Amino acid sequence: MTSSTPSRGAATWTLLSLAIGSFGIGMTEFVVMGLLPQISADLLPDLTAADPEAAIAQAGWLISLYALGVVVGAPTIAASVAKYPRHRVMLGLAAALTLFNALTFLMPSFELIAASRLLAGLPHGAYFGIGALVAADVLGPGSRAKGAAFVLTGLTLANVVGVPLGTFLGQQLGWRIAFAIVAGIFALATVLIGLFVPAHAGDPDRTLRAELRAFGMPQVWFAIGIGAIGFGGFFAAYSYIAPVVTDVAGAPEWAVPIVLVLMGLGMTIGNLVGGHLADIDLKRTLLGGFVLFIVVQALLALTAAWIVTLGVFVFALGAITSALSPTIQSRLMSVAGDNQSIAAALNHSALNIGNALGAFLGGLVIAHGFGFVAPMWVGLVLAVAGFALALVSYALQERRPAAVPA
């Protein structure tokens, strides 16, 4: 089922190839958030002229549609391809990501771009889920969370470099240039995966029906709920960070990429630390991370009017939530038994349900006139709900330990 252990040099190139693809995914998922004002002005000019806040809220649908694509694609694709060689699956997913992001660059109208964003989200979860299994195999036994974290490193680095750079170039040259860059990154990843990811067998005994048995496990649903509702809190705040920087904190437009860099730095550090801590003590990392998440989300909402504190708490929010991401993925893989392919991908379905939920609810309160800080308070409520679900999940596990695989 697994490939032989590669040399250190070969392993490095394998992991780098996967991480470049995840860099592209991080950029395509998050660059929209920094460019909502430009996208709404270009694609919804009449609504922008009449009601700029409503136009930005409608442009936020592009975030939700991408997330919906991830939610639909992650379990269906991962479960359908579990029996096929993983290196070939990764190659096909990278090629699909290249094509669909090129469509976002090329399509002329809001409706067609919305369709392209839905399509671009479909391969996202399967890429991360199957890539995490390949990375864990390369890193060796006892490295489940570290493998997931390594593949996610590209995504978090995208928030340090790719998203701020794409936002800046989009502000200067038009928002479409960001997606031309994204398509180029995925094309590079496709070539590198073809060259450097070694043959990696799937599991010929796994079928779509077998993988879908994971949905009959209550703890799998709890883990999905923890990720979806909890991370909805993060995305409610992050989706509308650009107008918070300019309209609430009163900073100039060029400050938006700087704030995005701070978010990305926090995400990169948190992802690496979270993967390490989760392999040591999964429960404490998950519950302690949510407590910190709730505290920082509240402080962010209370101090958003000051650009310095906004930057500090955006950094902290990125670090804490990214530490939780590989932790939740490891939890899902732990409770899913033999259904590892779909479990690894379901984490990204969960997080992108959160993406869609947070962006939708955040846009809803903005459209109803509550202002750009209101999504942060929505996010706080969602973070508390995610923490409560985690507590219930572990309480039930303690009552029925035999129902949860080790």
Side-chain angles (χ1 to χ4, degrees):
M1 175 162 178
T2 58
S3 60
S4 59
T5 303
S7 68
R8 177 173 293 185
T12 299
W13 277 105
T14 297
L15 296 171
L16 179 63
S17 301
L18 297 174
I20 289 174
S22 68
F23 182 96
I25 289 178
M27 190 170 175
T28 194
E29 181 173 16
F30 295 117
V31 77
V32 175
M33 298 169 182
L35 292 172
L36 282 181
Q38 289 75 26
I39 293 171
S40 60
D42 180 37
L43 299 178
L44 303 166
D46 294 339
L47 183 57
T48 298
D51 189 345
E53 288 191 3
I56 288 174
Q58 183 170 329
W61 295 356
L62 299 180
I63 300 170
S64 296
L65 284 168
Y66 180 90
L68 178 61
V70 181
V71 172
V72 172
T76 53
I77 294 175
S80 298
V81 302
K83 65 182 180 180
Y84 297 111
R86 289 172 180 161
H87 63 291
R88 294 181 183 173
V89 172
M90 294 301 295
L91 187 64
L93 293 171
L97 286 161
T98 305
L99 172 62
F100 295 145
N101 281 277
L103 290 177
T104 300
F105 167 68
L106 293 170
M107 291 296 100
S109 68
F110 180 82
E111 291 76 15
L112 289 173
I113 286 168
S116 77
R117 297 309 292 156
L118 178 67
L119 290 172
L122 292 174
H124 172 130
Y127 183 97
F128 276 119
I130 297 171
L133 295 176
V134 174
D137 183 57
V138 167
L139 290 171
S143 298
R144 177 186 287 167
K146 284 193 284 291
F150 195 97
V151 176
L152 285 168
T153 297
L155 184 149
T156 57
L157 285 174
N159 283 277
V160 180
V161 180
V163 173
L165 179 61
T167 300
F168 176 76
L169 292 176
Q171 290 171 343
Q172 304 303 315
L173 303 175
W175 65 268
R176 291 178 187 271
I177 192 67
F179 291 96
I181 295 170
V182 167
I185 291 169
F186 282 127
L188 174 62
T190 303
V191 172
L192 291 177
I193 289 170
L195 291 174
F196 296 114
V197 175
H200 195 285
D203 185 347
D205 296 326
R206 300 308 297 176
T207 63
L208 176 61
R209 169 183 265 179
E211 288 288 319
L212 291 178
R213 289 193 193 117
F215 289 108
M217 301 176 178
Q219 284 291 348
V220 167
W221 284 104
F222 271 108
I224 291 171
I226 292 164
I229 296 174
F231 268 74
F234 169 69
F235 286 110
Y238 190 24
S239 296
Y240 302 97
I241 197 66
V244 170
V245 172
T246 55
D247 292 26
V248 178
E253 191 175 74
W254 55 259
V256 175
I258 295 174
V259 172
L260 294 176
V261 167
L262 291 171
M263 175 70 82
L265 287 170
M267 292 176 74
T268 302
I269 295 169
N271 177 60
L272 296 174
V273 172
H276 177 71
L277 293 178
D279 278 331
I280 296 172
D281 192 321
L282 180 59
K283 180 179 178 180
R284 287 187 180 181
T285 302
L286 182 60
L287 297 180
F290 261 106
V291 171
L292 291 174
F293 180 13
I294 292 165
V295 171
V296 168
Q297 185 85 312
L299 292 172
L300 178 63
L302 290 169
T303 64
W306 297 279
I307 189 62
V308 173
T309 54
L310 177 65
V312 169
F313 290 122
V314 158
F315 171 85
L317 187 68
I320 293 163
T321 52
S322 281
L324 283 169
S325 182
T327 306
I328 294 171
Q329 177 153 334
S330 187
R331 173 67 176 169
L332 255 170
M333 294 171 75
S334 176
V335 300
D338 294 332
N339 309 295
Q340 293 295 289
S341 291
I342 193 169
L346 277 172
N347 180 54
H348 299 281
S349 283
L351 300 188
N352 280 273
I353 292 172
N355 190 344
L357 179 67
F360 171 74
L361 293 178
L364 193 65
V365 293
I366 291 171
H368 280 77
F370 290 101
F372 291 118
V373 175
M376 297 179 180
W377 293 112
V378 171
L380 178 63
V381 173
L382 293 173
V384 171
F387 178 58
L389 273 179
L391 290 175
V392 172
S393 174
Y394 277 110
L396 291 175
Q397 179 178 330
E398 290 173 3
R399 289 175 58 188
R400 299 183 61 197
V404 181

